[in-house]
Amino acid sequence: MVTGYSSAGITTSDEYLKASRVGRQKKLTRPVKQKIWSVFEEYRAQLTAKGLKEMTDAVRDARIILQNKGDILPYQAIIVDEAQDMGMEAFN
């Protein structure tokens, strides 16, 4: 699933071309990866045009905003229910 690369923190074609596929059954060649990436870029462009984001990207954007602005929220901790549904980006 192409959207899975977003959750791996891959945001550029260079990162995708260098990404390891350890544990996958089939090795993808560089030309095949480039074709896959073009589909991924089109998908993301369509999301952007509609003002939409994948959940992982929204979480990453929120984390970056908080990192750049420092301690802007009055919380020292939070309690999360159903954290398994959030993806790894939420815990970086």
Side-chain angles (χ1 to χ4, degrees), residues 27-85:
K27 180 177 171 72
L28 297 179
T29 64
R30 188 175 185 89
V32 169
K33 280 182 135 184
Q34 288 171 326
K35 288 179 183 177
I36 291 169
W37 187 259
S38 67
V39 172
F40 184 65
E41 282 184 315
E42 176 61 27
Y43 165 73
R44 301 200 37 110
Q46 287 186 28
L47 282 179
T48 299
K50 294 178 181 176
L52 301 172
K53 291 183 183 231
E54 291 238 349
M55 178 65 159
T56 302
D57 295 324
V59 169
R60 180 180 304 115
D61 291 350
R63 178 181 48 81
I64 290 168
I65 289 168
L66 292 172
Q67 284 176 333
N68 290 339
K69 294 198 176 204
D71 294 333
I72 60 171
L73 299 175
Y75 310 107
Q76 292 181 352
I78 58 171
I79 297 172
V80 178
D81 187 20
E82 301 295 328
Q84 73 276 6
D85 296 333

